[in-house]
Amino acid sequence: MRVGFGYDVHRLKDGRKCILCGVEIPSDFGPDGHSDADVAVHALIDALLGAVALGDIGTHFPDTDEKWKNADSIKMLQSTFSLISSMGYHLGNADITIVMESPKLSPYIEKMRSSLAKAMDVDISNISVKATTEEKLGFTGEGAGVSSSAIVLLLTT
Ligand code: MG
């Protein structure tokens, strides 16, 4: 068994698409970044890489690389997950928390779970996505940014 933890933050910017766990959420603003800035998928990728002690998302998908400009983070997740599979591991379960003041994410949670389950070809019962706010405190509370953390359990195949 291997456990991994990941954490990521992105600034929120007007006019950016709001893509979380591969799902586009209707919003006038979204996470800013080199790729599609899917903060939840980035945290999940870091958790997967952390579980096998293979560095972090920046090592595997450098933001200086034009290849990953506006990249679909789900593709980065799939590439990370196939690396992990090739090492003889499969996903036990993943648990992700997104911290964002607005928009309200609860209507999209099931879509997000199924998007991640599909990307990694695992049963949806093994994927948990939760959303919370920080009660208007700090950078997420002010709406300046969005953060996400993720934990995964990998099992040997
Ligand atoms: Mg990121």
Side-chain angles (χ1 to χ4, degrees), residues 26-44:
S27 173
D28 296 334
F29 52 85
D32 193 22
H34 183 70
S35 65
D36 65 3
D38 189 331
V39 66
V41 169
H42 293 183
L44 179 58

Side-chain angles (χ1 to χ4, degrees), residues 16-152:
R16 284 275 302 187
K17 276 186 183 174
C18 184
I19 298 172
L20 296 169
C21 300
V23 175
E24 190 173 340
I25 316 286
S27 173
D28 296 334
F29 52 85
D32 193 22
H34 183 70
S35 65
D36 65 3
D38 189 331
V39 66
V41 169
H42 293 183
L44 179 58
I45 290 171
D46 259 0
L48 290 166
L49 292 171
V52 290
L54 271 186
D56 60 28
I57 190 169
T59 330
H60 293 260
F61 309 100
D63 64 9
T64 47
D65 190 340
E66 279 300 303
K67 188 180 165 190
W68 304 111
K69 192 163 164 57
N70 299 317
D72 178 354
S73 294
I74 289 286
K75 294 221 165 74
M76 291 153 68
L77 172 64
Q78 285 171 324
S79 143
T80 306
F81 198 69
S82 44
L83 173 69
I84 268 124
S85 304
S86 74
M87 293 172 75
Y89 290 101
H90 69 273
L91 185 71
N93 68 300
D95 187 16
I96 296 147
T97 297
I98 303 165
V99 184
M100 194 174 196
E101 193 62 33
S102 73
K104 210 166 176 41
L105 301 179
S106 53
Y108 307 99
I109 295 289
E110 291 311 304
K111 259 193 182 172
M112 291 194 237
R113 290 178 67 208
S114 77
S115 160
L116 296 179
K118 196 176 146 210
M120 296 185 286
D121 194 23
V122 296
D123 194 89
I124 193 168
S125 64
N126 296 320
I127 307 289
S128 161
V129 177
K130 309 190 298 299
T132 189
T133 72
E134 287 182 314
E135 300 281 335
K136 301 208 182 312
L137 295 167
F139 70 85
T140 70
E142 289 160 7
V146 50
S147 73
S148 182
S149 47
I151 191 163
V152 299

